[in-house]
Amino acid sequence: MQSPVVLVTHSRALYQRLLSAAPPGSLQRVRCLDSSGPGQSARTVMVDPRAVDATCLTTLSGWHRTRAAHRVVYLAFPAPPDRLLALPRIHPGPCLDVERAVESLKRLGAGAHPAPVWDDWARILEVAGRHERARLFLGVALRANGRNVVADAAATLGVGARQLTRLCRRWFGHPPAAIVRQARVVRTLPDLMVSGMSLTKIARRHGFSSRQAMTRLFGTSAGLVPRELRGAPGRKPGGPLVSAGRM
């Protein structure tokens, strides 16, 4: 069975560090990310910028053009400036330090698989700040509580569901439903962190069918448990807790 995570690096020490945190069989190392290697079917590809060569850049560029379903993350290691500048342009992706990469691999063993939208939220806000229609979509996602948020957003933008999906993938690198789920997590965080309301009341306030439904969404979208955030004003959990801004 294909490993869900592929690490692109020449460093054996880095591989051993991440391997020690990953569940058995979940991490594979490659020295080159080519168009026919293990990375093609991996769910997550961790890229050490020091190992990037022309073949790797071509592969990442191809994935970005075809919107291939890979989560690409770049590890925070020094590399030539031109390479560091080229990587997010060729294939946008979050940058993780080694400790955060270790924590994400540990969560694989716990059965939690946070969506990449959590790590990308700061970039999503940045994109929305530059594009008016992207900002309009994100505003709908952050304010709505109903079950038809994607359809409502499409109607607001005057497009069909398929066109909205294409636009969101082009703007954010994620489908609209994933953005809507993450927006729901983001707007729930302040009540969890600073209010005295019960989890059940917070869940109802934000349109969840139950406290358990809210907990499931937090687990799948951010790798967090809501009760861990109670009474922790200003805390920044595992992912980037970024203000939703004035949408």
Side-chain angles (χ1 to χ4, degrees):
M1 183 177 67
Q2 173 62 49
S3 301
V5 181
V6 164
L7 171 66
V8 184
T9 186
H10 296 158
S11 170
R12 182 171 179 80
L14 174 62
Y15 173 58
Q16 292 296 336
R17 175 72 178 94
L18 297 181
L19 187 64
S20 66
S26 64
L27 180 68
Q28 181 177 357
R29 181 177 69 146
V30 298
R31 293 177 177 272
C32 179
L33 190 62
D34 58 41
S35 58
S36 59
Q40 291 300 313
S41 55
R43 183 168 60 244
T44 298
V45 177
M46 294 184 174
V47 179
D48 180 347
R50 300 169 298 183
V52 170
D53 57 16
T55 300
C56 185
L57 291 176
T58 299
T59 300
L60 290 170
S61 179
W63 287 353
H64 187 46
R65 286 197 306 270
T66 61
R67 306 295 180 185
H70 298 284
R71 182 194 182 202
V72 177
V73 298
Y74 303 114
L75 299 176
F77 285 103
D82 57 341
R83 190 182 308 166
L84 294 176
L85 290 172
L87 285 172
R89 184 174 68 250
I90 289 171
H91 193 299
C95 182
L96 298 181
D97 60 32
V98 173
E99 291 308 311
R100 284 187 63 195
V102 165
E103 290 303 314
S104 70
L105 289 170
K106 286 180 179 178
R107 287 197 294 265
L108 286 177
H113 307 286
V117 189
W118 179 250
D119 286 329
D120 285 354
W121 189 251
R123 184 174 63 84
I124 288 167
L125 289 177
E126 181 183 354
V127 170
R130 297 196 307 264
H131 300 282
E132 183 178 356
R133 298 182 79 198
R135 183 164 61 251
L136 182 60
F137 166 78
L138 193 56
V140 173
L142 284 165
R143 289 190 293 268
N145 269 339
R147 295 185 177 182
N148 300 313
V149 181
V150 174
D152 293 344
T156 299
L157 269 65
V159 299
R162 290 185 179 180
Q163 186 176 355
L164 179 62
T165 297
R166 288 194 294 269
L167 287 171
C168 283
R169 286 193 178 279
R170 188 177 73 199
W171 292 331
F172 309 119
H174 301 282
I179 301 294
V180 168
R181 288 192 296 270
Q182 196 64 52
R184 205 173 189 188
V185 168
V186 168
R187 71 169 182 263
T188 306
L189 283 171
D191 280 342
L192 285 169
M193 297 172 71
V194 301
S195 80
M197 288 187 290
S198 68
L199 292 178
T200 299
K201 187 172 182 179
I202 292 172
R204 289 174 180 169
R205 180 179 185 181
H206 292 281
F208 292 97
S209 60
S210 66
R211 183 183 68 185
Q212 291 76 14
M214 180 175 69
T215 297
R216 285 194 297 270
L217 180 63
F218 267 73
T220 57
S221 295
L224 301 170
V225 178
R227 67 172 178 270
E228 294 176 346
L229 300 173
R230 304 315 311 271
R235 176 186 171 186
K236 294 184 179 180
L241 178 56
V242 182
S243 169
R246 296 189 299 273
M247 290 294 175

